Amino acid sequence: MAQKNKNRVRSIPLHEEIMRLGFANYVHAIKEEGHRELFPELYLNAARVGGHQFRNVAWRHMVEWIGLHMDIPTNEVTGKGCDMHSIRALGSSFYAIANAPDLIRADIMGHARSGTNALHYSKRKKTHGTIQVLREYRDFMADHIDPATNELSQFRVKLLPLRHRSRTGKPKIRKRIGQ
């Protein structure tokens, strides 16, 4: 069960690749440190929290690193580059290609359901259980999203001290793949 804030509790399926790379071990290490938040470093700066802090301490550097290794498309009309929601849009696009029912797409993406059937008559978590439904959603994700991390190995989780986890450096310039 994931909780975005006290009013937004949701069950979220996790792609099997995230689990293979050791997400459960990371969660255990965070709990062992005594944190409630999954990413406590995002809440150190009271002026900017959560997603805003992630953008400041990590996202810009991630995009810069990706840009050193591959071309990052921009919107042809607006010229806008990718942002954090671009990743979600990419995932949802895979489901659109698969002709996934809107109900499954909404649940996996964490969106509100719409329409009478989806809101009032589709209660699979109650009839089949949350674990069964999340397993089906996870299997659906595995069938329709190819991980970009296949060649990464799982390593033991070693957390830096919290004050160091809230910072990232500039990425190292490396040759682009294929050059």
Side-chain angles (χ1 to χ4, degrees), residues 2-73:
Q3 187 169 341
K4 187 172 181 178
N5 62 45
K6 67 181 181 179
N7 298 317
R8 309 262 328 258
V9 176
R10 44 173 108 138
S11 299
I12 301 171
L14 295 174
H15 194 284
E16 63 189 16
E17 181 68 357
I18 292 171
M19 299 308 289
R20 183 189 73 80
L21 290 172
F23 185 73
N25 297 334
Y26 167 79
V27 171
H28 179 74
I30 289 295
K31 285 183 179 179
E32 285 287 309
E33 280 192 347
H35 299 291
R36 261 189 36 228
E37 299 86 4
L38 187 56
F39 302 106
E41 61 274 12
L42 299 180
Y43 299 91
L44 290 178
N45 179 350
R48 299 188 69 88
V49 297
H52 297 290
Q53 186 74 356
F54 174 76
R55 183 182 183 288
N56 288 340
V57 301
W59 178 256
R60 292 178 297 123
H61 300 297
M62 290 166 53
V63 170
E64 187 176 343
W65 183 88
I66 292 167
L68 294 171
H69 297 276
M70 64 190 320
D71 293 327
I72 300 174

Side-chain angles (χ1 to χ4, degrees), residues 108-169:
I108 289 175
M109 297 301 296
H111 295 153
R113 293 177 170 193
S114 60
T116 301
N117 185 53
L119 289 172
H120 303 289
Y121 295 104
S122 184
K123 308 287 186 193
R124 287 206 65 242
K125 285 183 184 175
K126 290 183 179 176
T127 58
H128 293 85
T130 299
I131 292 172
Q132 173 66 29
V133 172
L134 290 178
R135 182 180 301 123
E136 291 169 3
Y137 287 178
R138 185 200 61 222
D139 292 346
F140 178 85
M141 291 165 65
D143 287 345
H144 295 91
I145 295 179
D146 295 325
T149 53
N150 284 335
E151 296 179 23
L152 294 179
S153 298
Q154 179 185 10
F155 291 94
R156 191 171 71 82
V157 173
K158 295 185 279 184
L159 297 175
L160 290 170
L162 186 59
R163 68 183 191 284
H164 294 295
R165 291 198 309 252
S166 63
R167 307 171 202 274
T168 59

